[in-house]
Amino acid sequence: MAEVVFKRATRIYSSLDRPAVNALDLVVADGEFLVLVGPSGCGKSTTLRMLAGLEPIDSGSVWIGDRDVTFMPSKDRDIAMVFQSYALYPHMTVAENIGFHLKIKKIPKDERARRVLEAAKILDLESLLDRKPAKLSGGQRQRVAMGRAIVREPQVFLMDEPLSNLDAKLRVQTRTQIAALQRDLGVTTVYVTHDQIEAMTMGDRVAVLNNGILQQCAPPRELFISPVNEFVAGFIGSPAMNLMRATADDLGASYESLHVPLTPEQRTALTSQAVTIGVRPNDLEVRADGGLDAKVEFVEELGSEAFIYCLAEGSDKEIVARTDGLSSAKNGDHVSLVPNPEGVHLFDTATGARLPA
């Protein structure tokens, strides 16, 4: 196990007008499960590949433990990688697939068999060791790929969207297994996904990237409660935070019939009169009056909860509110959306930065 450190790590592609990863400073603690998340093209996979040695670094450095691995070949970095594609050898059994790297390394046969069996026990693959990949389900193939990484006993696990090929139900089950497995093994893990729900449910910390720049790295709860800027606020959470473009006036920040007070510190921090009001669906209460006037467009019933999709009166902005299940709201109803004062987030529209509380 080892700490992973990115020091101003930068990767530039000549085909892009900006760095794919720009001056990344990031520390992954020894034994930590860190998730890299962001939209397509944000630089998360490039970051993982720089750590793996599959992409060169144009400036800065990458460290694993006390070793500068910036220019070190992948094979010497003591890492194990699990890809989106399982990349199993179809002519080999599960046991042979798991132990293939050990065979290449000329690990003695008895030691190889012991490590393969240990990995199979951890992943509940003991009864499948003699099968070939064609006889396995998608989830079982994914666990074989995990076993191939585990037997190497690396300092760092690298996982690049390993659940993307699984159906929705199996993804939920398998992400729980991976998170539990990582905690049992205690191996430093860097995990890449585009799915923010996956990121929030698995990581000890989540690093959010956009356009090659690290936006925020924090525990999932902190990202949800205190997003550092408008991008993180809108990206983290499902459904996403409602973001409303408002104008600062004598009353505070005004958006249609909604008014939010501004503190002197918040007014001072503003670089213009443009303010973004952010409210998560669970912090909006559906009432008869007293808040933002809106018309119900659609009600999504999920049993224990419901999401009310509305259009703000006077605009075509969609606003989502969460209520308890079996909501009484109906399509076409006129309602008032009242934010919980403690759940209101304010951002400088010009810079995207969060305004002080």
Side-chain angles (χ1 to χ4, degrees):
M1 296 185 291
E3 179 182 75
V4 171
V5 182
F6 292 88
K7 298 181 179 180
R8 308 291 294 173
T10 300
R11 178 68 178 120
I12 300 172
Y13 296 119
S14 58
S15 58
L16 297 179
D17 58 1
R18 58 170 176 79
V21 177
N22 192 355
L24 176 64
D25 282 317
L26 182 62
V27 177
V28 187
D30 187 359
E32 182 179 24
F33 194 125
L34 181 95
V35 180
L36 298 173
V37 69
S40 179
C42 72
K44 55 188 184 294
S45 290
T46 301
T47 298
L48 193 77
R49 291 172 63 84
M50 288 196 299
L51 176 55
L54 301 177
E55 289 283 353
I57 297 174
D58 294 288
S59 63
S61 61
V62 176
W63 294 68
I64 298 178
D66 57 0
R67 298 181 302 151
D68 183 349
V69 301
T70 306
F71 303 107
M72 186 180 291
S74 296
K75 65 183 180 64
D76 298 327
R77 295 193 182 197
D78 198 8
I79 59 170
M81 197 159 183
V82 180
F83 297 93
Q84 178 178 347
S85 170
Y86 313 124
L88 302 180
Y89 295 105
H91 63 288
M92 293 184 182
T93 64
V94 167
E96 291 168 338
N97 266 285
I98 293 176
F100 182 72
H101 175 79
L102 303 181
K103 184 176 181 180
I104 294 298
K105 289 287 187 179
K106 301 189 184 302
I107 301 296
K109 187 174 181 180
D110 290 346
E111 171 68 6
R112 192 163 74 235
R114 179 189 67 79
R115 286 163 66 172
V116 167
L117 184 58
E118 284 183 356
K121 287 179 179 178
I122 291 172
L123 296 164
D124 195 23
L125 291 171
E126 290 177 275
S127 62
L128 305 177
L129 288 174
D130 293 329
R131 292 192 188 180
K132 292 185 177 179
K135 301 295 184 181
L136 303 178
S137 67
Q140 289 168 339
R141 293 179 192 179
Q142 195 274 340
R143 285 185 302 180
V144 174
M146 287 287 298
R148 188 170 51 190
I150 289 171
V151 294
R152 298 177 65 171
E153 299 177 353
Q155 286 190 298
V156 182
F157 284 142
L158 306 181
M159 302 187 187
D160 192 2
E161 305 211 36
L163 307 185
S164 294
N165 292 335
L166 303 182
D167 62 52
K169 183 177 180 180
L170 194 54
R171 283 184 70 161
V172 173
Q173 175 186 337
T174 308
R175 75 188 184 207
T176 303
Q177 293 173 341
I178 289 177
L181 175 63
Q182 190 275 338
R183 285 169 176 79
D184 289 342
L185 296 174
V187 178
T188 306
T189 301
V190 180
Y191 185 106
V192 164
T193 180
H194 66 278
D195 185 337
Q196 57 92 17
I197 296 178
E198 200 169 285
M200 296 288 280
T201 55
M202 295 181 72
D204 296 322
R205 286 189 305 152
V206 178
V208 183
L209 289 91
N210 187 39
N211 291 331
I213 298 173
L214 178 64
Q215 304 293 310
Q216 186 173 3
C217 183
R221 181 181 177 86
E222 183 178 334
L223 283 179
F224 189 83
I225 295 174
S226 302
V228 72
N229 59 31
E230 188 178 325
F231 174 80
V232 176
F235 188 81
I236 296 297
S238 181
M241 180 185 288
N242 299 296
L243 296 169
M244 296 161 276
R245 305 295 190 207
T247 303
D249 56 24
D250 293 339
L251 296 173
S254 298
Y255 174 77
E256 301 299 338
S257 55
L258 178 66
H259 304 287
V260 176
L262 293 175
T263 66
E265 292 78 13
Q266 290 169 339
R267 289 183 183 276
T268 300
L270 279 174
T271 60
S272 70
Q273 294 299 104
V275 182
T276 300
I277 301 172
V279 187
R280 294 201 181 277
N282 55 291
D283 282 317
L284 277 177
E285 184 179 351
V286 180
R287 296 185 189 172
D289 55 43
L292 176 64
D293 297 328
K295 180 181 178 181
V296 177
E297 292 290 306
F298 177 69
V299 180
E300 185 178 44
E301 291 282 4
L302 298 176
S304 61
E305 61 183 0
F307 291 102
I308 315 294
Y309 292 79
C310 307
L311 286 183
E313 296 286 359
S315 78
D316 57 357
K317 172 68 177 176
E318 183 180 77
I319 308 293
V320 185
R322 177 196 174 278
T323 68
D324 293 334
L326 306 178
S327 169
S328 60
K330 300 292 187 295
N331 294 353
D333 285 355
H334 289 270
V335 297
S336 187
L337 304 176
V338 181
N340 171 10
E342 295 181 356
V344 173
H345 305 259
L346 296 172
F347 306 92
D348 185 330
T349 304
T351 65
R354 182 187 183 89
L355 296 179

